[in-house]
Amino acid sequence: MKRSLGHKAGGLGPDTENSAYKSKLEKTKRIAQYAQKVRTDHKHKEFPKRKSVNPRYQPPSKSEIAQQYASKIPRPIPAKRKPKLSPLPAMSDKEPSILREEILQERVRRHLQHKRILEDLDKV
């Protein structure tokens, strides 16, 4: 016995004489015909294209967003630089009493300079 295409062996096949089957078959044919008609109508018809509000709008890139964010952050105010203190004079062949006097004067000068710096910082 040869197998017929579309049927499984041992199956009786659909009951084509049933009224419910015929109505469902007719309904699917009508749907297919309507779909074909709409498809051909739309193929020859031109639909108006929507105009976008801003056709060339592109969202900003991540780097642009980062630059905008960075431009809005307040910049820190740089601190005033402290003037550098000069090093102590090198030991020389001078007499010890003169040498002690020079070192003492240098220490007093540095102390006054440091005091002025602190007063300037207190004003700020």
Side-chain angles (χ1 to χ4, degrees):
M1 182 170 150
K2 271 192 167 180
R3 285 177 134 181
S4 61
L5 295 175
H7 297 290
K8 292 182 180 178
L12 299 175
D15 185 10
T16 55
E17 303 301 321
N18 188 357
S19 63
Y21 176 78
K22 285 182 180 179
S23 64
K24 285 182 184 180
L25 189 62
E26 185 62 33
K27 185 178 177 183
T28 54
K29 283 182 183 178
R30 279 186 281 137
I31 290 172
Q33 287 174 351
Y34 180 73
Q36 184 64 32
K37 181 179 178 255
V38 169
R39 216 176 289 124
T40 56
D41 288 350
H42 284 209
K43 191 181 278 185
H44 301 293
K45 193 175 186 181
E46 285 191 30
F47 291 100
K49 293 183 180 178
R50 284 188 192 175
K51 290 186 179 179
S52 62
V53 177
N54 190 355
R56 295 185 184 206
Y57 172 75
Q58 291 180 347
S61 66
K62 289 185 179 183
S63 61
E64 290 171 350
I65 292 171
Q67 287 174 348
Q68 289 173 357
Y69 175 76
S71 66
K72 292 178 184 176
I73 295 177
R75 301 284 192 280
I77 299 169
K80 293 181 181 178
R81 289 189 171 186
K82 296 178 185 177
K84 291 185 177 179
L85 299 175
S86 59
L88 288 174
M91 298 296 266
S92 62
D93 296 335
K94 296 180 182 176
E95 206 170 302
S97 63
I98 296 173
L99 188 60
R100 264 190 249 132
E101 186 66 32
E102 285 179 2
I103 292 174
L104 183 62
Q105 286 176 358
E106 179 66 24
R107 286 184 179 171
V108 169
R109 187 185 67 74
R110 280 186 171 203
H111 174 70
L112 293 175
Q113 185 181 10
H114 184 66
K115 200 173 181 182
R116 270 188 257 124
I117 291 171
L118 291 177
E119 287 173 2
D120 290 344
L121 288 176
D122 287 340
K123 289 178 186 177
V124 176

